Short mmCIF file of all heavy atoms in Angstrom, two decimals:
data_model
loop_
_atom_site.label_atom_id
_atom_site.label_comp_id
_atom_site.label_asym_id
_atom_site.label_seq_id
_atom_site.Cartn_x
_atom_site.Cartn_y
_atom_site.Cartn_z
N ARG A 95 -7.93 -11.26 10.58
CA ARG A 95 -7.33 -12.40 11.28
C ARG A 95 -7.59 -12.33 12.78
O ARG A 95 -7.49 -13.33 13.47
CB ARG A 95 -5.83 -12.47 10.99
CG ARG A 95 -5.53 -12.90 9.57
CD ARG A 95 -4.05 -12.91 9.28
NE ARG A 95 -3.49 -11.57 9.23
CZ ARG A 95 -2.20 -11.31 9.02
NH1 ARG A 95 -1.35 -12.30 8.84
NH2 ARG A 95 -1.77 -10.07 8.98
N HIS A 129 -10.46 -13.34 5.45
CA HIS A 129 -9.76 -14.43 6.13
C HIS A 129 -10.68 -15.57 6.58
O HIS A 129 -10.32 -16.74 6.41
CB HIS A 129 -8.98 -13.85 7.32
CG HIS A 129 -8.20 -14.90 8.05
ND1 HIS A 129 -7.20 -15.62 7.44
CD2 HIS A 129 -8.30 -15.36 9.32
CE1 HIS A 129 -6.70 -16.48 8.31
NE2 HIS A 129 -7.34 -16.34 9.45
N PRO A 167 -1.35 -24.23 3.21
CA PRO A 167 -0.21 -24.09 4.12
C PRO A 167 -0.60 -24.07 5.58
O PRO A 167 0.28 -24.07 6.45
CB PRO A 167 0.39 -22.74 3.71
CG PRO A 167 -0.75 -21.98 3.14
CD PRO A 167 -1.67 -22.99 2.51
N ASP A 168 -1.89 -24.04 5.87
CA ASP A 168 -2.35 -24.18 7.25
C ASP A 168 -3.82 -24.61 7.24
O ASP A 168 -4.47 -24.65 6.17
CB ASP A 168 -2.13 -22.89 8.07
CG ASP A 168 -2.88 -21.68 7.51
OD1 ASP A 168 -3.85 -21.88 6.74
OD2 ASP A 168 -2.51 -20.55 7.84
N GLY A 170 -6.45 -23.12 8.21
CA GLY A 170 -7.39 -22.08 7.79
C GLY A 170 -7.56 -22.03 6.28
O GLY A 170 -8.55 -21.49 5.79
N ALA A 171 -6.60 -22.58 5.54
CA ALA A 171 -6.67 -22.49 4.08
C ALA A 171 -7.25 -23.75 3.44
O ALA A 171 -7.29 -23.86 2.21
CB ALA A 171 -5.26 -22.22 3.52
N LYS A 191 0.35 -26.13 10.47
CA LYS A 191 1.18 -24.99 10.91
C LYS A 191 0.88 -24.64 12.35
O LYS A 191 -0.26 -24.69 12.80
CB LYS A 191 0.86 -23.80 10.00
CG LYS A 191 1.46 -22.48 10.43
CD LYS A 191 1.07 -21.35 9.49
CE LYS A 191 -0.02 -20.48 10.06
NZ LYS A 191 -0.33 -19.29 9.25
N ARG A 193 1.50 -21.26 14.64
CA ARG A 193 2.04 -19.88 14.63
C ARG A 193 2.63 -19.57 16.00
O ARG A 193 1.95 -19.69 17.02
CB ARG A 193 0.96 -18.85 14.27
CG ARG A 193 1.52 -17.44 14.23
CD ARG A 193 0.57 -16.42 13.59
NE ARG A 193 0.49 -16.51 12.15
CZ ARG A 193 1.43 -16.07 11.31
NH1 ARG A 193 2.54 -15.55 11.76
NH2 ARG A 193 1.25 -16.16 10.01
N GLY A 196 3.89 -13.17 15.22
CA GLY A 196 3.47 -12.54 13.97
C GLY A 196 4.39 -12.87 12.81
O GLY A 196 4.00 -12.85 11.64
N THR A 197 5.66 -13.18 13.12
CA THR A 197 6.62 -13.44 12.04
C THR A 197 7.18 -14.86 12.06
O THR A 197 7.90 -15.26 11.16
CB THR A 197 7.83 -12.47 12.13
OG1 THR A 197 8.32 -12.50 13.48
CG2 THR A 197 7.44 -11.06 11.74
N VAL A 199 6.56 -19.04 12.29
CA VAL A 199 5.63 -20.18 12.28
C VAL A 199 6.45 -21.48 12.23
O VAL A 199 7.58 -21.49 11.75
CB VAL A 199 4.66 -20.13 11.06
CG1 VAL A 199 3.77 -18.93 11.11
CG2 VAL A 199 5.41 -20.17 9.75
N ASP A 217 -3.40 -19.59 -0.45
CA ASP A 217 -3.79 -18.99 0.84
C ASP A 217 -4.62 -17.74 0.55
O ASP A 217 -4.65 -17.24 -0.58
CB ASP A 217 -2.53 -18.62 1.64
CG ASP A 217 -2.78 -18.68 3.15
OD1 ASP A 217 -3.95 -18.72 3.57
OD2 ASP A 217 -1.79 -18.68 3.90
N ASP A 218 -5.29 -17.22 1.59
CA ASP A 218 -6.03 -15.98 1.38
C ASP A 218 -5.06 -14.81 1.24
O ASP A 218 -5.32 -13.89 0.47
CB ASP A 218 -7.02 -15.72 2.53
CG ASP A 218 -6.36 -15.66 3.90
OD1 ASP A 218 -5.44 -16.47 4.14
OD2 ASP A 218 -6.72 -14.81 4.72
N MET A 219 -3.93 -14.86 1.95
CA MET A 219 -3.02 -13.72 1.89
C MET A 219 -1.58 -14.15 2.16
O MET A 219 -1.34 -15.17 2.79
CB MET A 219 -3.42 -12.68 2.94
CG MET A 219 -3.36 -13.20 4.36
SD MET A 219 -4.04 -12.03 5.55
CE MET A 219 -2.70 -10.86 5.65
N ILE A 220 -0.66 -13.35 1.63
CA ILE A 220 0.74 -13.49 2.02
C ILE A 220 1.12 -12.17 2.66
O ILE A 220 1.03 -11.12 2.02
CB ILE A 220 1.68 -13.74 0.82
CG1 ILE A 220 1.15 -14.87 -0.07
CG2 ILE A 220 3.09 -14.04 1.30
CD1 ILE A 220 1.91 -14.99 -1.38
N SER A 221 1.53 -12.24 3.90
CA SER A 221 1.96 -11.01 4.59
C SER A 221 3.49 -10.99 4.61
O SER A 221 4.12 -10.47 3.69
CB SER A 221 1.34 -10.98 5.98
OG SER A 221 1.74 -9.82 6.65
N THR A 222 4.09 -11.61 5.62
CA THR A 222 5.57 -11.64 5.68
C THR A 222 6.15 -12.81 4.91
O THR A 222 7.37 -12.95 4.83
CB THR A 222 6.03 -11.79 7.13
OG1 THR A 222 5.61 -13.08 7.62
CG2 THR A 222 5.48 -10.70 8.03
N GLY A 223 5.32 -13.71 4.42
CA GLY A 223 5.80 -14.89 3.70
C GLY A 223 6.22 -16.02 4.63
O GLY A 223 6.65 -17.08 4.17
N GLY A 224 6.10 -15.83 5.94
CA GLY A 224 6.53 -16.85 6.90
C GLY A 224 5.77 -18.16 6.75
O GLY A 224 6.35 -19.25 6.82
N THR A 225 4.47 -18.06 6.55
CA THR A 225 3.64 -19.26 6.40
C THR A 225 4.06 -20.04 5.16
O THR A 225 4.25 -21.26 5.20
CB THR A 225 2.15 -18.85 6.30
OG1 THR A 225 1.80 -18.16 7.49
CG2 THR A 225 1.24 -20.04 6.10
N MET A 226 4.20 -19.33 4.05
CA MET A 226 4.59 -19.98 2.79
C MET A 226 5.99 -20.60 2.93
O MET A 226 6.23 -21.73 2.51
CB MET A 226 4.57 -18.98 1.64
CG MET A 226 3.18 -18.56 1.22
SD MET A 226 2.25 -19.97 0.56
CE MET A 226 0.71 -19.18 0.14
C1 R5P B 401 -3.32 -16.91 8.40
O1 R5P B 401 -3.93 -17.87 8.83
C2 R5P B 401 -3.42 -16.44 6.99
O2 R5P B 401 -4.29 -17.23 6.25
C3 R5P B 401 -2.06 -16.47 6.32
O3 R5P B 401 -1.58 -17.79 6.27
C4 R5P B 401 -1.07 -15.64 7.07
O4 R5P B 401 -1.69 -14.53 7.62
C5 R5P B 401 0.04 -15.19 6.18
O5 R5P B 401 0.90 -14.39 6.95
P1 R5P B 401 2.48 -14.54 6.76
O6 R5P B 401 2.73 -14.42 5.29
O7 R5P B 401 3.05 -13.38 7.55
O8 R5P B 401 2.86 -15.87 7.33
#
Side-chain angles (χ1 to χ4, degrees):
R95 289 178 290 179
H129 182 61
D168 60 20
K191 171 181 102 174
R193 181 168 285 285
T197 50
V199 297
D217 210 345
D218 57 320
M219 61 187 283
I220 310 171
S221 180
T222 65
T225 300
M226 289 296 181

